[in-house]
Amino acid sequence: MGLKMQGHHHHMVAVSLNSDQQLGTKRKYTSYVPRTHQGKYLALWIIAFGFAAVHVYRCIDAGHQQRIQEGLVSMCDQRARMLQDQFSVCVNHVHALAVLVSTFHYYKNPSVIDQETFAEYTARTAFERPLLSGVAYAQRVLNSQREDFESQHGGTIRTMANKEPSPHRDEYAPVIFAQETVSYLNLVDMMSGEEDRENILRARSTGKAVLTSPFKLLGSHHLGVVLTIPVYKSKLPPNASVRDRIEATVGYLGGAFDVESLVENLLGQLAGNQEIIVKVYDVTNTSDPLIMYGRQAQYGDLTRVRVSTLDFGDPFRKHQMTCRYLHKAPISWTAITTAFLGYVIVFLAGYMFYTGAIHIVQVEDDFHTMQQLKVRAEAADVTKSQFLATVSHEIRTPMNGILGMLALLLDTDLSSTQRDYAQTAQACGRALITLINEVLDRAKIEAGKLELEAVPFDLRSVLDDVLSLFSEKSRNKGIELAVFVSDKVPQIVMGDPGRFRQVITNLVGNSVKFTEQGHIFVQVHLAEHSIAVHDATSDSCLSGRSNGCQTNTLSGREAADDRNNWDRFKHLTADGEFPFQVLTSDGISQNVNLMVSVEDTGIGIPLHAQKLVFMPFMQADSSTSRHYGGTGIGLSISKCLVELMGGHISFISRPQIGSTFSFTASFKRCEQNMVTDPKRSLYDELPTAFKGLKATIVDTKPIRAAVTRYHLKRLGVFVEVVNSIRTVVSVLGSGQPDMILVEKDVWLSGDDMSNIRASVFGHVLKSPKMILLATNITGDEFDKAKAAGFSDTLIMKPLRASMVAACLQQVFGTGKKVEQGRVMANGSVYLRGLLCGKKILVVDDNRVNRRVAAGALKKFGAEVECADCGKAALDLLQIPHGFDACFMDIQMPEMDGFEATRRIREMEEQQTSSSVDGSCDTGTTTEWHLPILAMTADVIHATFEECQKSGMDGYVSKPFQEENLYQAVAKFFESKPATNS
């Protein structure tokens, strides 16, 4: 320790000397402030910025003019759109009238429409067509049908021009139905006009509405157009030909549009502060456009004009709207004021420069002093980072020895209680290291250097580990602590398990700290499923249609989030297909979006403090820190980590009720070939001896029963849930259970266990095991439970699959040693296949660390030799040597791991060069490259970059973990069959 600290002290002195050298180079400073002719410089300043002010005025004025033009464009386009919309509405009403005529005049026999009915209907519905001066229906009459038609209607078909009898032609279009306003069109042939005839023929061949050119409406001096829509006798298919349309045509419905009134109404609705001139043209003939609205004379602001295209539905007719301002745009006072004020400011700035020149020397001296302070601050920042790295390393080194020895202890034969204690101690040690890292995490977050890794991990195991940290404290408080992971969530996901564990640990730790009674419940579901259930069930709960929404929770106490109740939970945990529609953007997405919630029934967060929850070093009030402890940075770090995971964190809290923190996180799906080897142990950690067994859970709280069922299903046990002890007798007919698990509060509720036990066991040949589930239990209660027939082994909460398995092994008397040996062999078979027979050199100056590393490697069949410094490693690695790999500590006295690695690489390069020179005679070359893996407790990210620069091949953190060790060595060694012996 002393040698290490001395080495770092010398390193910090070197930094200090380097800083002084930097200061020496920065003292050479040349002043560019003029000492004479300040007046001339001021005059030049004023003239130059006078031209600049003129340029600024022109630029701002150009922007002002552009905005005026954009305003004209916006207003003109808006009026054009509204004119089109209103015209389209009227056209739709005419279409509807055409359908009415087709339906009730031709589909009904006899017709139910006559002139009187048509006139009355169109008069009553005229308000729907305010822009039409009248509508009329003209029937298609062939020349051969003319005589019958005229005798039927008691009149002669007349021309439009002079109302004379129409001359003979192939076909006619006499008006038979007309609105009162255009009743004078009765029996007038609408095809007698040349343009009208073309429009009618075009309408029936296209099936669309067509328009005429503008003309003066009768009875009005306004300009208008006539809309013609064909009426078909039979329904036409969508792809009807022109011939089919002509043959199916039985008439034409026409209406006269008052264009001038339409535009006047529109302009009246959009009257603004800036008056504009609007004109509407028919530009079908571009060489001779016809004006439909507005005066022909040009007036107003002729410098700005906007032309907007109008689409009235007739592809043959082209229309457009032109707009211009009535008055010219005013002068841009903003440009004048800005340029003038800018010029004044620049003038004052020049004057200030002129008067302040005599103070420049003092300012330069002050600036030089600031440079000195800046360099010293940068040097102090480097020193601080090195200090944090050193202190972190020195604190973690003994902790890693503790964790490593615990790991070796767990590989020995232990009882279930001893194993549980050792695992909890190991988890607590890891949590302590996590607390040490929080300060570094905060520094990384502020520097923007916090990065997440992406490795496969078992999410359920991570959650079980977190619960083990708080199991003792929750039992002492008598609160329910439980975790539930949906079956829809994959077993293995790709992400950062350490950071995910850190977020869960922070949230659960806060809940345990602030909760004195009730429960703490951790749930993990697919985010899309959770959202779908929330949307489907929240309305019923809020409206009161679901009984017990607030209290039907894990412990029966009211929770802050009313939606986390049994009605929602039962849908999320239902077997089979998900019962609600799930909205997903991609059915084959490789992302796994999780919704994690941590619910507690603690003291809650005061309303005034809820906005400060995620601020670093902030707590509800000063009494919170004194009474409960803590630094107040856990939630702020959790928020940053969740956002790095692509999620969002939020909470609902009610004082004296509790809090529910929820966050989403995005992980990657883990491909099967990525977890076949390195992650096999994650699946085999749980014993398989209980697969196929049947269990009955007796619990009155459905959510709590579902949690127990979840942990038993992980062990392969078939589970049935009943709500009372007496109900157990009724389920015996469907099959005898191997075990009956009873919640303590249900047992203490008053059922006579002796009678129930006699009733149960009287029906079966082999008595099922009676097991009591309890958060805590007194000695008297334990004796009473044994007298009632329960097993000597209790299952204490919080439930974890490994702990439940250990308890069941004791209850059933399973061969624990054999089972553990089997699990260990299967879980380590891949590392054993890689490391078995390999000769590995471990270099570390700490004796405990050498023992831990050697023990971990020997467990997998490797031959291990140790060295206590870099120089000793160089002596052992003189070429040729028999080592297959080297695990090198980074921070060592005399020669650290970086320098030792560089020298090893130099030796290998020299040997390889010599081999190449000698290969000319033999024809063969030997290339030496020993895999060297960095082995350190340093958590600074820059360390990994330094490892790569020095020539190391990988990075393994202390103490060794199977998954990390496998990922490191799998790149260099080939797996070979390994026995389970």
Side-chain angles (χ1 to χ4, degrees):
M1 178 71 75
L3 291 175
K4 284 191 175 184
M5 294 302 295
Q6 184 180 3
H8 285 291
H9 178 70
H10 291 318
H11 185 59
M12 287 187 284
V13 172
V15 172
S16 178
L17 292 174
N18 187 33
S19 301
D20 292 339
Q21 293 173 0
Q22 292 180 7
L23 290 176
T25 58
K26 288 182 178 292
R27 289 193 72 88
K28 297 177 181 179
Y29 182 83
T30 303
S31 174
Y32 295 97
V33 177
R35 302 292 180 175
T36 59
H37 306 295
Q38 291 90 347
K40 293 181 180 179
Y41 283 113
L42 179 61
L44 182 62
W45 177 277
I46 293 173
I47 294 173
F49 278 95
F51 288 104
V54 174
H55 178 70
V56 169
Y57 167 76
R58 291 179 177 176
C59 292
I60 297 177
D61 185 66
H64 174 69
Q65 301 299 330
Q66 182 179 359
R67 287 191 296 272
I68 293 175
Q69 180 65 28
E70 291 174 353
L72 178 64
V73 170
S74 176
M75 289 188 290
C76 191
D77 291 347
Q78 181 186 19
R79 285 156 175 76
R81 287 194 303 269
M82 292 191 65
L83 181 61
Q84 286 182 182
D85 293 342
Q86 293 188 14
F87 193 88
S88 298
V89 170
C90 292
V91 171
N92 291 337
H93 284 297
V94 176
H95 268 292
L97 192 59
V99 173
L100 182 75
V101 172
S102 174
T103 302
F104 291 98
H105 186 61
Y106 292 102
Y107 287 178
K108 300 293 183 178
N109 189 15
S111 171
V112 295
I113 298 179
D114 53 15
Q115 169 58 32
E116 181 180 358
T117 304
F118 186 86
E120 183 177 0
Y121 176 79
T122 53
R124 289 188 177 184
T125 59
F127 67 91
E128 296 179 344
R129 304 177 299 279
L131 306 178
L132 290 174
S133 58
V135 292
Y137 172 70
Q139 182 176 327
R140 181 188 180 191
V141 178
L142 300 178
N143 188 43
S144 59
Q145 301 170 344
R146 177 174 180 174
E147 183 176 350
D148 294 338
F149 175 82
E150 290 179 342
S151 63
Q152 179 181 355
H153 290 82
T156 305
I157 300 176
R158 297 170 295 157
T159 61
M160 292 182 61
N162 49 20
K163 303 299 186 291
E164 295 290 335
S166 177
H168 288 281
R169 60 178 76 242
D170 294 340
E171 60 178 287
Y172 313 90
V175 175
I176 62 173
F177 302 144
Q179 191 175 345
E180 288 295 337
T181 55
V182 291
S183 58
Y184 54 83
L185 295 177
N186 188 31
L187 295 183
V188 171
D189 183 10
M190 304 308 295
M191 299 183 70
S192 57
E194 187 63 30
E195 183 179 1
D196 296 326
R197 179 180 179 85
E198 292 179 359
N199 288 343
I200 288 175
L201 295 178
R202 186 156 51 89
R204 75 182 185 184
S205 62
T206 62
K208 297 181 179 179
V210 298
L211 298 172
T212 63
S213 58
F215 64 92
K216 292 270 186 162
L217 296 175
L218 295 177
S220 170
H221 296 291
H222 292 174
L223 290 175
V225 294
V226 173
L227 172 75
T228 304
I229 297 177
V231 177
Y232 298 110
K233 185 175 181 181
S234 60
K235 296 181 181 178
L236 293 175
N239 56 349
S241 62
V242 175
R243 182 179 182 86
D244 295 337
R245 294 182 184 278
I246 295 175
E247 291 178 354
T249 302
V250 293
Y252 317 94
L253 191 68
F257 277 93
D258 188 343
V259 178
E260 290 195 33
S261 297
L262 175 62
V263 179
E264 287 289 349
N265 292 337
L266 175 64
L267 296 181
Q269 298 174 10
L270 299 177
N273 297 329
Q274 182 69 51
E275 296 183 358
I276 63 173
I277 301 171
V278 177
K279 295 183 180 181
V280 180
Y281 291 91
D282 184 334
V283 292
T284 305
N285 184 2
T286 56
S287 60
D288 184 21
L290 301 176
I291 189 166
M292 301 175 65
Y293 174 79
R295 289 185 292 175
Q296 192 70 36
Q298 299 291 336
Y299 61 99
D301 187 1
L302 302 180
T303 60
R304 293 182 180 85
V305 63
R306 169 63 178 177
V307 178
S308 298
T309 304
L310 297 173
D311 184 6
F312 288 149
D314 187 349
F316 179 76
R317 289 285 176 187
K318 309 296 181 185
H319 302 85
Q320 68 182 22
M321 175 184 289
T322 62
C323 304
R324 59 169 52 92
Y325 286 116
L326 182 60
H327 304 289
K328 289 188 176 181
I331 298 175
S332 176
W333 288 105
T334 301
I336 296 175
T337 304
T338 303
F340 176 75
L341 291 178
Y343 182 73
V344 171
I345 292 172
V346 170
F347 174 79
L348 294 176
Y351 184 76
M352 291 172 63
F353 176 80
Y354 171 75
T355 57
I358 59 176
H359 303 291
I360 293 300
V361 175
Q362 182 180 357
V363 173
E364 290 175 352
D365 292 340
D366 294 341
F367 177 75
H368 176 67
T369 303
M370 292 174 60
Q371 287 289 337
Q372 289 179 322
L373 296 175
K374 177 177 178 292
V375 172
R376 291 175 182 173
E378 291 174 348
D381 185 63
V382 173
T383 304
K384 183 191 73 171
S385 299
Q386 294 172 348
F387 174 77
L388 288 175
T390 303
V391 172
S392 170
H393 178 83
E394 298 301 335
I395 294 176
R396 287 167 60 94
T397 296
M399 280 303 305
N400 288 328
I402 295 172
L403 293 176
M405 288 302 177
L406 284 172
L408 296 178
L409 177 63
L410 288 171
D411 290 333
T412 62
D413 294 334
L414 302 174
S415 67
S416 60
T417 302
Q418 291 171 333
R419 180 170 296 276
D420 187 39
Y421 289 165
Q423 289 174 342
T424 302
Q426 188 182 48
C428 290
R430 291 173 180 172
L432 181 56
I433 292 181
T434 301
L435 293 177
I436 296 172
N437 292 338
E438 279 195 345
V439 176
L440 295 175
D441 286 342
R442 191 66 215 174
K444 288 181 182 180
I445 290 172
E446 292 175 352
K449 295 182 179 180
L450 187 64
E451 299 177 359
L452 300 183
E453 62 178 350
V455 297
F457 71 97
D458 185 351
L459 183 139
R460 291 165 176 81
S461 296
V462 170
L463 293 172
D464 283 352
D465 291 343
V466 173
L467 258 65
S468 68
L469 298 177
F470 305 100
S471 58
E472 189 66 25
K473 187 175 293 186
S474 65
R475 290 169 187 164
N476 294 336
K477 287 189 172 185
I479 57 177
E480 287 270 358
L481 177 58
V483 64
F484 180 90
V485 182
S486 171
D487 293 338
K488 312 297 189 304
V489 176
Q491 180 80 7
I492 304 295
V493 295
M494 290 285 293
D496 193 326
R499 297 304 181 183
F500 179 75
R501 184 197 316 269
Q502 184 175 354
V503 175
I504 297 296
T505 302
N506 280 335
L507 296 179
V508 176
N510 286 341
S511 295
V512 172
K513 184 190 304 181
F514 296 109
T515 303
E516 298 298 332
Q517 54 185 347
H519 66 268
I520 299 169
F521 190 22
V522 183
Q523 299 184 60
V524 182
H525 303 281
L526 294 180
E528 47 270 22
H529 288 185
S530 182
I531 293 173
V533 173
H534 269 304
D535 294 341
T537 60
S538 59
D539 292 340
S540 63
C541 188
L542 292 175
S543 61
R545 292 192 299 271
S546 179
N547 297 327
C549 266
Q550 295 182 343
T551 58
N552 203 348
T553 58
L554 179 69
S555 64
R557 292 183 61 88
E558 183 179 358
D561 192 350
D562 294 338
R563 296 170 298 181
N564 284 351
N565 55 73
W566 172 243
D567 289 337
R568 171 182 176 272
F569 190 79
K570 65 183 179 182
H571 294 301
L572 288 171
T573 59
D575 296 331
E577 295 186 1
F578 192 66
F580 299 104
Q581 182 178 4
V582 178
L583 298 178
T584 56
S585 59
D586 187 0
I588 58 174
S589 174
Q590 292 301 310
N591 290 334
V592 179
N593 299 316
L594 301 182
M595 171 69 77
V596 184
S597 67
V598 179
E599 174 187 277
D600 66 63
T601 57
I603 62 174
I605 304 172
L607 298 178
H608 70 273
Q610 293 188 5
K611 295 182 179 179
L612 309 176
V613 164
F614 295 112
M615 294 181 63
F617 307 105
M618 295 295 296
Q619 292 190 335
D621 51 47
S622 58
S623 63
T624 300
S625 179
R626 291 196 303 267
H627 188 271
Y628 295 99
T631 61
I633 64 173
L635 285 178
S636 65
I637 294 176
S638 297
K639 181 176 184 293
C640 295
L641 293 178
V642 168
E643 291 173 351
L644 286 175
M645 294 178 192
H648 173 74
I649 187 169
S650 61
F651 70 94
I652 296 176
S653 182
R654 289 192 287 166
Q656 306 307 319
I657 298 297
S659 303
T660 301
F661 280 80
S662 302
F663 70 90
T664 57
S666 180
F667 298 101
K668 296 291 185 181
R669 294 188 183 276
C670 191
E671 299 294 340
Q672 188 65 30
N673 57 4
M674 299 179 64
V675 300
T676 299
D677 288 347
K679 289 299 160 184
R680 180 68 178 271
S681 61
L682 293 176
Y683 291 103
D684 290 341
E685 285 179 356
L686 299 178
T688 59
F690 308 108
K691 289 184 177 180
L693 297 183
K694 295 182 180 180
T696 300
I697 299 173
V698 183
D699 197 347
T700 57
K701 296 183 175 64
I703 293 183
R704 188 172 62 182
V707 172
T708 307
R709 180 172 179 263
Y710 155 71
H711 289 286
L712 290 174
K713 284 181 63 179
R714 293 176 62 186
L715 301 176
V717 179
F718 296 100
V719 181
E720 186 171 1
V721 178
V722 297
N723 57 10
S724 70
I725 298 176
R726 297 183 181 275
T727 314
V728 176
V729 180
S730 62
V731 301
L732 292 177
S734 59
Q736 173 189 347
D738 297 287
M739 66 190 90
I740 300 175
L741 294 87
V742 183
E743 285 286 344
K744 189 183 80 169
D745 57 353
V746 178
W747 166 57
L748 296 176
S749 62
D751 286 336
D752 188 350
M753 285 300 302
S754 60
N755 295 333
I756 299 299
R757 183 176 176 83
S759 301
V760 173
F761 297 159
H763 289 76
V764 297
L765 298 176
K766 183 180 179 181
S767 301
K769 302 293 184 180
M770 300 287 291
I771 306 173
L772 192 64
L773 301 172
T775 301
N776 53 14
I777 191 169
T778 64
D780 293 339
E781 290 174 339
F782 180 70
D783 294 337
K784 183 180 177 182
K786 290 173 60 178
F790 286 102
S791 172
D792 292 344
T793 302
L794 305 179
I795 298 182
M796 300 299 294
K797 298 183 180 181
L799 298 181
R800 305 191 306 277
S802 59
M803 184 268 292
V804 173
C807 292
L808 293 182
Q809 284 176 341
Q810 292 186 0
V811 171
F812 286 95
T814 308
K816 178 173 65 64
K817 293 184 179 180
V818 176
E819 180 68 18
Q820 289 179 354
R822 188 194 64 80
V823 174
M824 184 63 214
N826 287 340
S828 307
V829 65
Y830 302 102
L831 274 173
R832 184 177 296 277
L834 290 173
L835 298 176
C836 185
K838 302 295 183 183
K839 189 175 182 181
I840 296 177
L841 176 63
V842 175
V843 185
D844 198 313
D845 62 315
N846 187 282
R847 184 175 61 88
V848 176
N849 287 342
R850 290 198 301 270
R851 291 184 60 188
V852 172
L857 294 171
K858 289 178 180 178
K859 180 177 69 174
F860 303 116
E863 299 178 13
V864 181
E865 189 169 341
C866 297
D868 59 358
C869 63
K871 290 184 177 180
L874 288 178
D875 296 337
L876 292 172
L877 293 176
Q878 293 293 325
I879 300 175
H881 59 78
F883 291 100
D884 297 296
C886 175
F887 287 81
M888 180 81 68
D889 186 27
I890 291 178
Q891 294 184 347
M892 293 183 293
E894 298 183 17
M895 181 185 295
D896 62 14
F898 298 139
E899 180 63 24
T901 302
R902 280 190 285 266
R903 295 193 181 185
I904 293 170
R905 296 306 182 209
E906 290 175 0
M907 291 191 304
E908 292 175 344
E909 289 178 0
Q910 294 175 0
Q911 182 65 26
T912 302
S913 300
S914 301
S915 177
V916 171
D917 294 338
S919 65
C920 299
D921 299 331
T922 62
T924 60
T925 60
T926 301
E927 182 177 355
W928 285 87
H929 183 86
L930 177 71
I932 301 178
L933 302 176
M935 182 178 61
T936 182
D938 197 348
V939 294
I940 301 299
H941 181 70
T943 304
F944 179 67
E945 298 175 356
E946 186 67 23
C947 293
Q948 291 180 318
K949 292 179 182 178
S950 64
M952 293 183 176
D953 299 287
Y955 187 99
V956 179
S957 62
K958 297 186 292 188
F960 293 155
Q961 295 181 0
E962 289 187 16
E963 55 268 27
N964 295 335
L965 185 60
Y966 183 93
Q967 291 174 356
V969 301
K971 303 175 184 177
F972 312 106
F973 301 148
E974 294 183 359
S975 180
K976 60 184 178 180
T979 63
N980 293 346
S981 58

